[in-house]
Amino acid sequence: MWARLLIVFGAVLAIGSGGTIAGFHIVLAEATKSFGKQDLLGKAAGATTGGKHASITGAKNILLIGVDSRPGQNADLLIRSDTIIIMHIPADHTEGYLVSIPRDTKVHIPAYDNGKHKYPGGNEKINAAFAHGGEQLTGDTARQHSVELLALTLKDLYGLTFDAAAIVDFTGFQKVVGVLGGVDMCVDEDTKSIHIGYKNGKQVSPSVRLHSDGTVAGPLPGVTPKDYPVGCYHMKDWEALDFVRQRDLLKNQDTDYGRQRHQQQFLKAIFKEIASKDVLTNPGKLSGVLNTIGQAMTIDQGKFSIQDWLFAMKGIGADDLITLKTNDGHFNPVPGDLSYEALNATSLQMLQSVKDDTMAEFVNLHPDWVASST
């Protein structure tokens, strides 16, 4: 969402520089004010120089994190990051590359002391880094330590540092879509919901039996899960949120890879609507949409102002944001433990290309790794 927002804002800046959007600077100031800003990266951040405004030069990496803390969730369960995306901006600032790290990837998480809990370090799924960083903490403090440990884990594994970061809670998606009046989605595989179903004509939740960790245990007698069939149609806010949460009952059994693809499609659909003439040329409506997005996000803008980031991104169009399929879009199990995933050699090469700022060369060599988000 943060990546798409930067590009939309960049487009607004390009249009606004020609004077075609009345009150653009007022809209920008108001929307900027709505974002929750926090030091998230801590020791994992790249070098800082300070200063209120600075020119953004050279290649940059932004860490994008999605979490899904649902109402009524067991308080004893650690909140793990459902989505981990590295956005790489090459030095010429003409494109953006989105690289997903599968949440089940088995990694070594370094030891970490958040001031209230000492995590000894260990080999776990990478989304556990987010959980252990904020363990026994709440609010802003938990978010900061969660992101810091996740970023430190990525730094240790792949040598990556980050210039900015953003967290979005999936419940924020629903509010954004609600303000927009729904969203048009094209479903590419039959998807059944584990969260919403129907029994005797009434909506019930969940729609299947779940284990304590949230995984599917089996069907519920008399309950029919809500179905999202293949096709293009308008979704209400609660439908869109429910659809992008699904990973268990996908027709193609592509689990997290299917969910990641659907999230990408969903974000594209949202920002296609935001970038429409009806929204961009209406400062009041644009401000309302962006304020809602801002309330759903917490960002670490690093040493640069949001305006600096927006101007740096203004040369990147919507079609210049390229999503890559880690492991070529297929689950790659760890031998002997099928609940974990390993990054294959080409995925590791892709992450090395992020570090070396050679993503264009990687894409030229592996064009089939570019994911469709239509």
Side-chain angles (χ1 to χ4, degrees):
M1 183 174 280
W2 178 230
R4 297 280 183 189
L5 183 62
L6 288 176
I7 288 174
V8 168
F9 258 133
V12 175
L13 282 170
I15 297 171
S17 64
T20 58
I21 295 183
F24 165 73
H25 291 291
I26 296 175
V27 173
L28 175 60
E30 184 66 24
T32 299
K33 184 173 65 177
S34 72
F35 284 94
K37 304 177 186 69
Q38 186 181 346
D39 176 11
L40 298 172
L41 291 167
K43 294 177 290 186
T48 58
T49 59
K52 186 175 181 181
H53 288 285
S55 176
I56 298 182
T57 59
K60 300 298 175 191
N61 293 323
I62 302 174
L63 180 58
L64 309 171
I65 302 163
V67 298
D68 198 5
S69 51
R70 298 178 181 86
Q73 178 171 304
N74 186 340
D76 294 330
L77 291 177
L78 298 177
I79 296 178
R80 300 182 178 229
S81 48
D82 276 347
T83 306
I84 304 167
I85 297 176
I86 299 165
M87 180 183 182
H88 175 71
I89 306 168
D92 61 8
H93 298 177
T94 59
E95 294 175 314
Y97 297 90
L98 297 178
V99 176
S100 294
I101 306 296
R103 70 175 195 170
D104 292 334
T105 304
K106 188 173 185 178
V107 300
H108 179 75
I109 302 171
Y112 185 79
D113 185 353
N114 67 17
K116 194 169 183 179
H117 175 76
K118 291 183 178 181
Y119 172 65
N123 297 318
E124 297 191 51
K125 295 179 179 181
I126 194 167
N127 64 346
F130 187 90
H132 290 305
E135 196 164 353
Q136 298 184 19
L137 300 174
T138 59
D140 290 349
T141 305
R143 282 193 296 269
Q144 190 273 313
H145 287 284
S146 292
V147 176
E148 183 176 50
L149 181 54
L150 176 57
L152 287 171
T153 301
L154 293 169
K155 182 179 180 180
D156 283 0
L157 289 170
Y158 313 119
L160 299 174
T161 57
F162 298 95
D163 304 281
I167 305 174
V168 60
D169 192 302
F170 286 128
T171 56
F173 289 158
Q174 184 169 346
K175 295 178 182 178
V176 174
V177 177
V179 173
L180 290 171
V183 65
D184 293 329
M185 287 288 296
C186 288
V187 177
D188 59 5
E189 63 178 319
D190 286 333
T191 301
K192 295 187 183 299
S193 173
I194 70 169
H195 305 118
I196 297 175
Y198 299 93
K199 184 175 183 179
N200 299 325
K202 295 182 179 180
Q203 193 176 104
V204 296
S205 181
S207 65
V208 295
R209 288 190 301 111
L210 300 176
H211 293 297
S212 59
D213 63 356
T215 57
V216 176
L220 279 174
V223 176
T224 301
K226 180 171 177 56
D227 184 39
Y228 299 95
V230 171
C232 297
Y233 41 91
H234 190 77
M235 288 189 185
K236 298 178 182 178
D237 52 357
W238 63 270
E239 290 177 310
L241 175 65
D242 184 54
F243 172 67
V244 300
R245 278 176 165 167
Q246 304 309 316
R247 68 186 291 267
D248 297 273
L249 301 180
L250 304 181
K251 179 70 173 181
N252 298 338
Q253 298 182 347
D254 43 4
T255 60
D256 268 331
Y257 289 99
R259 179 166 66 173
Q260 288 171 9
R261 187 177 66 256
H262 296 159
Q263 288 171 350
Q264 292 164 1
Q265 293 165 353
F266 176 60
L267 292 177
K268 184 172 183 178
I270 287 180
F271 284 96
K272 181 178 180 181
E273 178 65 26
I274 295 174
S276 69
K277 183 178 180 180
D278 289 343
V279 177
L280 282 187
T281 58
N282 185 332
K285 187 171 184 178
L286 178 63
S287 180
V289 170
L290 295 178
N291 279 331
T292 304
I293 294 175
Q295 294 166 19
M297 297 179 64
T298 302
I299 64 172
D300 181 345
Q301 61 204 47
K303 65 180 180 180
F304 305 107
S305 70
I306 293 180
Q307 290 91 334
D308 293 331
W309 279 110
L310 301 181
F311 276 103
M313 297 286 282
K314 70 179 185 293
I316 303 178
D319 293 335
D320 300 321
L321 192 60
I322 301 168
T323 58
L324 282 301
K325 297 185 293 185
T326 309
N327 285 345
D328 197 19
H330 302 290
F331 189 84
N332 186 39
V334 172
D337 194 340
L338 301 184
S339 66
Y340 287 94
E341 184 166 7
L343 297 185
N344 62 23
T346 308
S347 294
L348 294 174
Q349 180 187 344
M350 179 169 61
L351 289 168
Q352 184 65 40
S353 296
V354 170
K355 180 181 178 182
D356 297 340
D357 191 24
T358 56
M359 281 300 294
E361 290 87 342
F362 176 87
V363 170
N364 285 335
L365 289 172
H366 305 281
D368 54 328
W369 278 48
V370 175
S372 171
S373 58
T374 58

